[in-house]
Every structure is written in structure tokens, then in C-alpha cells.
Amino acid sequence: DFEKLSLIDGKDLKSVYENYCNHWRDNFVQLHKNEEELNRLFIEIYELQDEMDEKVEFEDMHKLYYDIELPCVTLFAKMQYYGIYLDKEELLKAGEIFEERKQELQKNIEKYSEEEININSVQQIGVLLFEKLGLPIIRKTKTGYSTDVDTLKKLEDKHEIISYILEYREISKLISTYVDGLIYEINEKTNRIHSNFNQTVTATGRISSTEPNMQNIPARKEEGKIIRKCFKAEKGNVFVSADYSQIELRVLADMSR
């Protein structure tokens, strides 16, 4: 029972290794299917014990490490172990909605090209906008006309095709990154996503999330909200969202006294 496990029983790296050997190995192998890699990782942790102890003392980080960082390991391990439920069927339906809209946008764009074009091709879009439709050239690159977001935003009031192209790109990204991408990340045995939560990756000390990144699920536009609705709390539970109010500014103000 994962709830009964204490990752940091004894508060040292050797007990992390021992807990892994005694309790966690089977559970983690089931999720990650790579026992050899996990064994290598925990042996390395075990062997680093003495060296890391010396470093922590030398850097005067004993309190930070043992009172803040190390206790968080258990929390993040539980978060990764339990994961988050993603309604696959609802996500597939969202993908169908996005795909229909993408087809509509393609038709609207090809109405002006008068032929079938590859909207993902910078060269073809450049020829359509600046040669066929005669829109003002904002910037050129080594390979032709620039059609990046900043360029297209400057042309948005010149022709309605610009808004179609911008939306087409947004919808395409939603499909590839959040529909196709998230479905691939759903664990077959748990039907949940088990993202990695990293304590030591960002320069600022913030927690980061990878494989997949759960911190950049879109929220502002309606399409993004459709994706977010696919993440669901288990029956009898609710999602709670909390955030600091301008934490960096407050820390800076305290430090500048």
C-alpha cells in the first residue's frame, strides 16, 4: 500500500534505496517497464550518500535539504505514482471537434488560393499572401517570405485570411500536442497520466513537469478549456486550484528591506 510507505524513513539516501528494494520495485516496474534502468538509478543514489552529505554541510544547506527539499520527494513521488485521470473518450471527441474546425479553416483558406495548398508550408503560404493576394511584405528570410506569428499579427487587419491561418495553426497544435500527445501518455494499466515532477531542473527552483508537461495545458481560450475538461477527479473528489499571489514580488520586497 503506497500510502503506508515512507520514502525518507531515516532521512538519508540509503533508506531511499532500501525502501525501493523492499516495497517499490514491482510497482514502478509495472508503470515504467524498465527494471534495469530503475535498478541502476537507485544504486547510483545509494553510492552518492557520503559525497552528498559532505556537500550539503559544506554549502550550509542542511536545513533547506532536510526540512524542505527531501520531505517533498515523498509528495512528488506520490503525485507521479497516482497520476491524474484523463477521460480518453472525451479527449477523442474533442479531437474530432478540432479536426472538423481545421477542415473548415482549410476550405476558407483555399477559397483564396483557388487550389489545394499545404497550409503548413511556409513557402506556399508566403506565395499566396504576398504574391497572389498582394499583401504588404513585412519581412523576408533566406528561404522566402516570413509568415511567423508576429508577421501575421501585423497583417491581421489587411485580410480575413490571416485570422484563418492563425487559427488553423492553433488548432493543429492542439491536435498534435494535446490530443494525440496526451492519448499516447495514458498508461494502459492505470488509465492515468503519470507525469514526472522535477525538483532540480529549473534555475528558479520551481517544480517542473515532463513527459508530459502538465503545467502548460491551455486554459485561456475555449478550445483549451475543452482539453482541460478531459481531466477529471475521481468520484467523490474535486479538483482544487491554488496559487501564490505574486510570490516573486513579495520575496523580492522582503529581501530588499
Side-chain angles (χ1 to χ4, degrees), residues 16 35 47 71 73 76 104 141 145 160 167 172 181 195 201 223:
V16 172
E35 184 171 6
E47 292 174 344
V73 174
F76 297 131
E104 288 176 14
T141 65
Y145 306 104
E160 66 176 353
E167 187 180 352
S172 296
S195 177
V201 171
E223 292 83 3

Side-chain angles (χ1 to χ4, degrees), residues 6-16 49 53 65-68 70-71:
S6 171
L7 175 64
I8 317 163
D9 182 21
K11 287 192 174 180
D12 61 39
L13 293 172
K14 287 181 180 175
S15 37
V16 172
Q49 170 72 43
D53 274 347
Y65 181 63
Y66 286 102
D67 294 350
I68 299 175
L70 204 54

Side-chain angles (χ1 to χ4, degrees), residues 28-233:
F28 270 91
V29 168
Q30 284 177 15
L31 288 176
H32 298 282
K33 303 177 183 177
N34 193 337
E35 184 171 6
E36 185 178 337
E37 175 67 15
L38 287 168
N39 283 334
R40 182 193 63 76
L41 174 65
F42 277 88
I43 288 170
E44 287 181 1
I45 291 174
Y46 182 86
E47 292 174 344
L48 279 171
Q49 170 72 43
D50 294 335
E51 181 183 342
M52 293 305 296
D53 274 347
E54 290 177 9
K55 237 176 183 179
V56 166
E57 296 301 328
F58 179 78
E59 297 287 348
D60 194 25
M61 290 188 173
H62 190 278
K63 184 176 178 62
L64 171 66
Y65 181 63
Y66 286 102
D67 294 350
I68 299 175
E69 294 292 348
L70 204 54
C72 283
V73 174
T74 303
L75 172 64
F76 297 131
K78 286 182 179 181
M79 286 166 61
Q80 181 171 333
Y81 182 85
Y82 286 121
I84 184 170
Y85 176 70
L86 179 63
D87 191 326
K88 186 176 180 180
E89 295 304 315
E90 191 159 331
L91 187 62
L92 288 170
K93 288 177 184 176
E96 291 173 4
I97 293 170
F98 296 151
E99 194 60 49
E100 286 177 12
R101 179 57 183 160
K102 185 178 170 183
Q103 297 301 322
E104 288 176 14
L105 291 164
Q106 178 148 358
K107 288 177 183 177
N108 290 337
I109 294 166
E110 289 178 348
K111 180 174 65 178
Y112 293 102
S113 67
E114 298 177 343
E115 61 181 346
E116 188 174 319
I117 66 167
N118 179 6
I119 301 171
N120 296 315
S121 167
V122 173
Q123 286 79 13
Q124 290 186 37
I125 289 294
V127 169
L128 170 60
L129 297 180
F130 305 112
E131 294 181 15
K132 196 158 190 174
L133 297 178
L135 295 178
I137 299 169
I138 304 296
R139 186 166 63 89
K140 274 194 170 187
T141 65
K142 291 180 181 179
T143 56
Y145 306 104
S146 171
T147 62
D148 61 19
V149 175
D150 290 337
T151 299
L152 294 184
K153 287 283 186 183
K154 292 174 182 175
L155 296 169
E156 213 164 359
D157 61 342
K158 305 293 182 185
H159 201 291
E160 66 176 353
I161 194 174
I162 302 298
S163 60
Y164 294 149
I165 294 170
L166 288 170
E167 187 180 352
Y168 181 93
R169 289 179 179 177
E170 288 179 2
I171 295 291
S172 296
K173 183 177 180 180
L174 284 173
I175 294 171
S176 62
T177 304
Y178 300 109
V179 179
D180 298 339
L182 289 175
I183 284 176
Y184 175 77
E185 296 289 352
I186 297 175
N187 185 281
E188 293 179 1
K189 293 184 177 179
T190 65
N191 292 317
R192 303 169 81 86
I193 286 180
H194 301 271
S195 177
N196 295 320
F197 295 96
N198 312 297
Q199 285 178 266
T200 59
V201 171
T202 66
T204 60
R206 283 176 175 267
I207 301 304
S208 69
S209 167
T210 54
E211 298 181 61
N213 183 355
M214 299 298 293
Q215 295 175 317
N216 72 342
I217 307 298
R220 293 181 181 178
K221 293 190 175 181
E222 194 58 40
E223 292 83 3
K225 291 177 182 177
I226 291 174
I227 298 289
R228 289 205 166 211
K229 284 179 182 177
C230 298
F231 291 94
K232 297 183 178 179

